């Protein structure tokens, strides 16, 4: 990847389009937003694949990410809590719970930060 300096922030051209990144969200995505998005979406994508392999039909997965940052240490991300709202009919709670644990172990983005950022998960089943 190559990043080009802009008046504010940086940009890169990717196959899907142009990505604007800046410390000010008026000019692009903030770096912490991209990191949190990467962890949340990677986890959700891996979970989705696991559920498909287990033949557990879900209608939708909605992920909320709560982030705690430490202003005293360069505003670093201290923790991320991912909350999954999984909708479908007759979803097996125990199999979903085990699938989330398996997704945690197989999400490359989460595993990349495992010793630096505390990542926790919770979920609820929605009809």
């Amino acid at each position: 990847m190559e990043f080009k300096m802009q008046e504010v922030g940086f940009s890169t051209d990717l196959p899907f389009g142009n990505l604007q990144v800046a410390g000010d969200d008026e000019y692009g995505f903030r770096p912490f937003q991209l990191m949190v998005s990467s962890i949340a979406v990677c986890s959700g994508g891996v979970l989705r694949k696991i559920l498909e392999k287990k033949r557990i039909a879900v209608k939708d997965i909605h992920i909320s990410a709560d982030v705690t940052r430490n202003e005293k240490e360069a505003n670093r991300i201290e923790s991320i809590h991912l909350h999954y709202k999984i909708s479908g009919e007759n979803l097996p709670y125990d199999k979903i719970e085990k699938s989330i644990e398996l997704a945690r172990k197989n999400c490359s983005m989460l595993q990349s930060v495992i010793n630096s950022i505390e990542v926790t998960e919770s979920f609820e089943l929605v009809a």
Side-chain angles (χ1 to χ4, degrees), residues 17-36:
N18 182 269
L19 177 64
Q20 299 285 325
V21 183
D24 184 338
D25 57 12
E26 286 185 36
Y27 298 97
F29 294 100
R30 296 182 63 201
F32 93 91
Q33 293 169 325
L34 295 172
M35 180 173 280
V36 172

PDB file of all heavy atoms in Angstrom, residues 17-36:
ATOM      1  N   GLY A  17     -11.628   1.608  -4.145  1.00  0.00           N
ATOM      2  CA  GLY A  17     -11.785   3.052  -4.222  1.00  0.00           C
ATOM      3  C   GLY A  17     -10.704   3.782  -3.454  1.00  0.00           C
ATOM      4  O   GLY A  17      -9.739   3.193  -2.982  1.00  0.00           O
ATOM      5  N   ASN A  18     -10.891   5.081  -3.333  1.00  0.00           N
ATOM      6  CA  ASN A  18      -9.930   5.940  -2.646  1.00  0.00           C
ATOM      7  C   ASN A  18     -10.253   5.976  -1.162  1.00  0.00           C
ATOM      8  O   ASN A  18     -11.404   6.115  -0.773  1.00  0.00           O
ATOM      9  CB  ASN A  18      -9.985   7.355  -3.243  1.00  0.00           C
ATOM     10  CG  ASN A  18      -8.985   8.268  -2.596  1.00  0.00           C
ATOM     11  OD1 ASN A  18      -9.299   8.937  -1.621  1.00  0.00           O
ATOM     12  ND2 ASN A  18      -7.788   8.308  -3.145  1.00  0.00           N
ATOM     13  N   LEU A  19      -9.221   5.858  -0.331  1.00  0.00           N
ATOM     14  CA  LEU A  19      -9.375   5.894   1.114  1.00  0.00           C
ATOM     15  C   LEU A  19      -8.685   7.133   1.649  1.00  0.00           C
ATOM     16  O   LEU A  19      -7.486   7.323   1.417  1.00  0.00           O
ATOM     17  CB  LEU A  19      -8.778   4.630   1.754  1.00  0.00           C
ATOM     18  CG  LEU A  19      -8.802   4.550   3.283  1.00  0.00           C
ATOM     19  CD1 LEU A  19     -10.242   4.507   3.805  1.00  0.00           C
ATOM     20  CD2 LEU A  19      -8.037   3.322   3.746  1.00  0.00           C
ATOM     21  N   GLN A  20      -9.437   7.979   2.331  1.00  0.00           N
ATOM     22  CA  GLN A  20      -8.917   9.190   2.954  1.00  0.00           C
ATOM     23  C   GLN A  20      -8.781   8.935   4.451  1.00  0.00           C
ATOM     24  O   GLN A  20      -9.747   8.522   5.104  1.00  0.00           O
ATOM     25  CB  GLN A  20      -9.874  10.368   2.731  1.00  0.00           C
ATOM     26  CG  GLN A  20     -10.096  10.727   1.283  1.00  0.00           C
ATOM     27  CD  GLN A  20      -8.901  11.451   0.689  1.00  0.00           C
ATOM     28  OE1 GLN A  20      -8.215  12.220   1.348  1.00  0.00           O
ATOM     29  NE2 GLN A  20      -8.649  11.185  -0.580  1.00  0.00           N
ATOM     30  N   VAL A  21      -7.579   9.192   4.987  1.00  0.00           N
ATOM     31  CA  VAL A  21      -7.314   8.967   6.405  1.00  0.00           C
ATOM     32  C   VAL A  21      -6.730  10.243   6.989  1.00  0.00           C
ATOM     33  O   VAL A  21      -5.780  10.808   6.435  1.00  0.00           O
ATOM     34  CB  VAL A  21      -6.322   7.795   6.624  1.00  0.00           C
ATOM     35  CG1 VAL A  21      -6.118   7.540   8.108  1.00  0.00           C
ATOM     36  CG2 VAL A  21      -6.798   6.549   5.913  1.00  0.00           C
ATOM     37  N   ALA A  22      -7.310  10.702   8.107  1.00  0.00           N
ATOM     38  CA  ALA A  22      -6.837  11.939   8.736  1.00  0.00           C
ATOM     39  C   ALA A  22      -7.148  11.902  10.225  1.00  0.00           C
ATOM     40  O   ALA A  22      -8.056  11.200  10.665  1.00  0.00           O
ATOM     41  CB  ALA A  22      -7.501  13.149   8.087  1.00  0.00           C
ATOM     42  N   GLY A  23      -6.419  12.684  10.983  1.00  0.00           N
ATOM     43  CA  GLY A  23      -6.677  12.784  12.411  1.00  0.00           C
ATOM     44  C   GLY A  23      -7.944  13.558  12.715  1.00  0.00           C
ATOM     45  O   GLY A  23      -8.460  13.513  13.825  1.00  0.00           O
ATOM     46  N   ASP A  24      -8.476  14.251  11.728  1.00  0.00           N
ATOM     47  CA  ASP A  24      -9.694  15.045  11.865  1.00  0.00           C
ATOM     48  C   ASP A  24     -10.765  14.408  10.989  1.00  0.00           C
ATOM     49  O   ASP A  24     -10.597  14.298   9.771  1.00  0.00           O
ATOM     50  CB  ASP A  24      -9.408  16.485  11.405  1.00  0.00           C
ATOM     51  CG  ASP A  24     -10.577  17.425  11.583  1.00  0.00           C
ATOM     52  OD1 ASP A  24     -11.735  16.952  11.657  1.00  0.00           O
ATOM     53  OD2 ASP A  24     -10.338  18.637  11.631  1.00  0.00           O
ATOM     54  N   ASP A  25     -11.875  13.979  11.609  1.00  0.00           N
ATOM     55  CA  ASP A  25     -12.874  13.244  10.838  1.00  0.00           C
ATOM     56  C   ASP A  25     -13.644  14.098   9.823  1.00  0.00           C
ATOM     57  O   ASP A  25     -14.482  13.594   9.098  1.00  0.00           O
ATOM     58  CB  ASP A  25     -13.832  12.459  11.739  1.00  0.00           C
ATOM     59  CG  ASP A  25     -14.562  13.293  12.760  1.00  0.00           C
ATOM     60  OD1 ASP A  25     -14.533  14.525  12.679  1.00  0.00           O
ATOM     61  OD2 ASP A  25     -15.175  12.684  13.653  1.00  0.00           O
ATOM     62  N   GLU A  26     -13.329  15.370   9.728  1.00  0.00           N
ATOM     63  CA  GLU A  26     -13.900  16.188   8.654  1.00  0.00           C
ATOM     64  C   GLU A  26     -13.202  15.900   7.321  1.00  0.00           C
ATOM     65  O   GLU A  26     -13.717  16.244   6.260  1.00  0.00           O
ATOM     66  CB  GLU A  26     -13.760  17.679   8.980  1.00  0.00           C
ATOM     67  CG  GLU A  26     -14.706  18.160  10.054  1.00  0.00           C
ATOM     68  CD  GLU A  26     -14.620  19.670  10.244  1.00  0.00           C
ATOM     69  OE1 GLU A  26     -14.436  20.400   9.250  1.00  0.00           O
ATOM     70  OE2 GLU A  26     -14.722  20.092  11.400  1.00  0.00           O
ATOM     71  N   TYR A  27     -12.031  15.272   7.387  1.00  0.00           N
ATOM     72  CA  TYR A  27     -11.230  15.061   6.182  1.00  0.00           C
ATOM     73  C   TYR A  27     -11.043  13.596   5.808  1.00  0.00           C
ATOM     74  O   TYR A  27     -10.443  13.292   4.793  1.00  0.00           O
ATOM     75  CB  TYR A  27      -9.860  15.724   6.347  1.00  0.00           C
ATOM     76  CG  TYR A  27      -9.970  17.212   6.520  1.00  0.00           C
ATOM     77  CD1 TYR A  27      -9.959  17.784   7.786  1.00  0.00           C
ATOM     78  CD2 TYR A  27     -10.121  18.047   5.424  1.00  0.00           C
ATOM     79  CE1 TYR A  27     -10.074  19.151   7.952  1.00  0.00           C
ATOM     80  CE2 TYR A  27     -10.243  19.423   5.572  1.00  0.00           C
ATOM     81  CZ  TYR A  27     -10.226  19.965   6.846  1.00  0.00           C
ATOM     82  OH  TYR A  27     -10.354  21.319   6.999  1.00  0.00           O
ATOM     83  N   GLY A  28     -11.512  12.691   6.632  1.00  0.00           N
ATOM     84  CA  GLY A  28     -11.368  11.276   6.316  1.00  0.00           C
ATOM     85  C   GLY A  28     -11.591  10.419   7.543  1.00  0.00           C
ATOM     86  O   GLY A  28     -11.947  10.911   8.619  1.00  0.00           O
ATOM     87  N   PHE A  29     -11.402   9.145   7.346  1.00  0.00           N
ATOM     88  CA  PHE A  29     -11.524   8.225   8.470  1.00  0.00           C
ATOM     89  C   PHE A  29     -10.359   8.437   9.418  1.00  0.00           C
ATOM     90  O   PHE A  29      -9.225   8.627   8.993  1.00  0.00           O
ATOM     91  CB  PHE A  29     -11.505   6.770   7.982  1.00  0.00           C
ATOM     92  CG  PHE A  29     -12.688   6.411   7.146  1.00  0.00           C
ATOM     93  CD1 PHE A  29     -12.583   6.377   5.768  1.00  0.00           C
ATOM     94  CD2 PHE A  29     -13.900   6.112   7.742  1.00  0.00           C
ATOM     95  CE1 PHE A  29     -13.670   6.046   4.985  1.00  0.00           C
ATOM     96  CE2 PHE A  29     -14.994   5.784   6.970  1.00  0.00           C
ATOM     97  CZ  PHE A  29     -14.884   5.753   5.587  1.00  0.00           C
ATOM     98  N   ARG A  30     -10.651   8.394  10.713  1.00  0.00           N
ATOM     99  CA  ARG A  30      -9.591   8.513  11.699  1.00  0.00           C
ATOM    100  C   ARG A  30      -8.921   7.150  11.851  1.00  0.00           C
ATOM    101  O   ARG A  30      -9.578   6.108  11.755  1.00  0.00           O
ATOM    102  CB  ARG A  30     -10.162   9.018  13.012  1.00  0.00           C
ATOM    103  CG  ARG A  30     -10.723  10.447  12.824  1.00  0.00           C
ATOM    104  CD  ARG A  30     -11.264  11.047  14.063  1.00  0.00           C
ATOM    105  NE  ARG A  30     -10.188  11.198  15.042  1.00  0.00           N
ATOM    106  CZ  ARG A  30     -10.418  11.322  16.341  1.00  0.00           C
ATOM    107  NH1 ARG A  30     -11.642  11.333  16.808  1.00  0.00           N
ATOM    108  NH2 ARG A  30      -9.409  11.450  17.173  1.00  0.00           N
ATOM    109  N   PRO A  31      -7.615   7.120  12.086  1.00  0.00           N
ATOM    110  CA  PRO A  31      -6.917   5.835  12.190  1.00  0.00           C
ATOM    111  C   PRO A  31      -7.527   4.869  13.204  1.00  0.00           C
ATOM    112  O   PRO A  31      -7.648   3.678  12.927  1.00  0.00           O
ATOM    113  CB  PRO A  31      -5.498   6.246  12.582  1.00  0.00           C
ATOM    114  CG  PRO A  31      -5.329   7.592  11.952  1.00  0.00           C
ATOM    115  CD  PRO A  31      -6.678   8.254  12.124  1.00  0.00           C
ATOM    116  N   PHE A  32      -7.970   5.376  14.360  1.00  0.00           N
ATOM    117  CA  PHE A  32      -8.541   4.470  15.359  1.00  0.00           C
ATOM    118  C   PHE A  32      -9.852   3.871  14.852  1.00  0.00           C
ATOM    119  O   PHE A  32     -10.172   2.716  15.153  1.00  0.00           O
ATOM    120  CB  PHE A  32      -8.701   5.154  16.728  1.00  0.00           C
ATOM    121  CG  PHE A  32     -10.041   5.779  16.974  1.00  0.00           C
ATOM    122  CD1 PHE A  32     -11.064   5.061  17.569  1.00  0.00           C
ATOM    123  CD2 PHE A  32     -10.287   7.096  16.607  1.00  0.00           C
ATOM    124  CE1 PHE A  32     -12.306   5.637  17.801  1.00  0.00           C
ATOM    125  CE2 PHE A  32     -11.512   7.678  16.835  1.00  0.00           C
ATOM    126  CZ  PHE A  32     -12.530   6.941  17.437  1.00  0.00           C
ATOM    127  N   GLN A  33     -10.611   4.627  14.058  1.00  0.00           N
ATOM    128  CA  GLN A  33     -11.858   4.094  13.503  1.00  0.00           C
ATOM    129  C   GLN A  33     -11.563   2.920  12.566  1.00  0.00           C
ATOM    130  O   GLN A  33     -12.283   1.927  12.561  1.00  0.00           O
ATOM    131  CB  GLN A  33     -12.617   5.179  12.736  1.00  0.00           C
ATOM    132  CG  GLN A  33     -13.154   6.289  13.610  1.00  0.00           C
ATOM    133  CD  GLN A  33     -13.673   7.467  12.786  1.00  0.00           C
ATOM    134  OE1 GLN A  33     -13.122   7.798  11.736  1.00  0.00           O
ATOM    135  NE2 GLN A  33     -14.727   8.099  13.283  1.00  0.00           N
ATOM    136  N   LEU A  34     -10.512   3.049  11.787  1.00  0.00           N
ATOM    137  CA  LEU A  34     -10.149   1.975  10.870  1.00  0.00           C
ATOM    138  C   LEU A  34      -9.680   0.740  11.624  1.00  0.00           C
ATOM    139  O   LEU A  34     -10.004  -0.395  11.242  1.00  0.00           O
ATOM    140  CB  LEU A  34      -9.077   2.454   9.891  1.00  0.00           C
ATOM    141  CG  LEU A  34      -9.530   3.557   8.928  1.00  0.00           C
ATOM    142  CD1 LEU A  34      -8.343   4.088   8.145  1.00  0.00           C
ATOM    143  CD2 LEU A  34     -10.621   3.060   8.002  1.00  0.00           C
ATOM    144  N   MET A  35      -8.929   0.942  12.707  1.00  0.00           N
ATOM    145  CA  MET A  35      -8.465  -0.198  13.492  1.00  0.00           C
ATOM    146  C   MET A  35      -9.638  -0.925  14.136  1.00  0.00           C
ATOM    147  O   MET A  35      -9.738  -2.158  14.052  1.00  0.00           O
ATOM    148  CB  MET A  35      -7.459   0.228  14.557  1.00  0.00           C
ATOM    149  CG  MET A  35      -6.959  -0.946  15.392  1.00  0.00           C
ATOM    150  SD  MET A  35      -5.630  -0.512  16.500  1.00  0.00           S
ATOM    151  CE  MET A  35      -4.275  -0.552  15.345  1.00  0.00           C
ATOM    152  N   VAL A  36     -10.533  -0.173  14.761  1.00  0.00           N
ATOM    153  CA  VAL A  36     -11.697  -0.782  15.404  1.00  0.00           C
ATOM    154  C   VAL A  36     -12.575  -1.465  14.358  1.00  0.00           C
ATOM    155  O   VAL A  36     -13.047  -2.591  14.560  1.00  0.00           O
ATOM    156  CB  VAL A  36     -12.497   0.264  16.220  1.00  0.00           C
ATOM    157  CG1 VAL A  36     -13.803  -0.322  16.734  1.00  0.00           C
ATOM    158  CG2 VAL A  36     -11.653   0.801  17.371  1.00  0.00           C
TER     159      VAL A  36
END
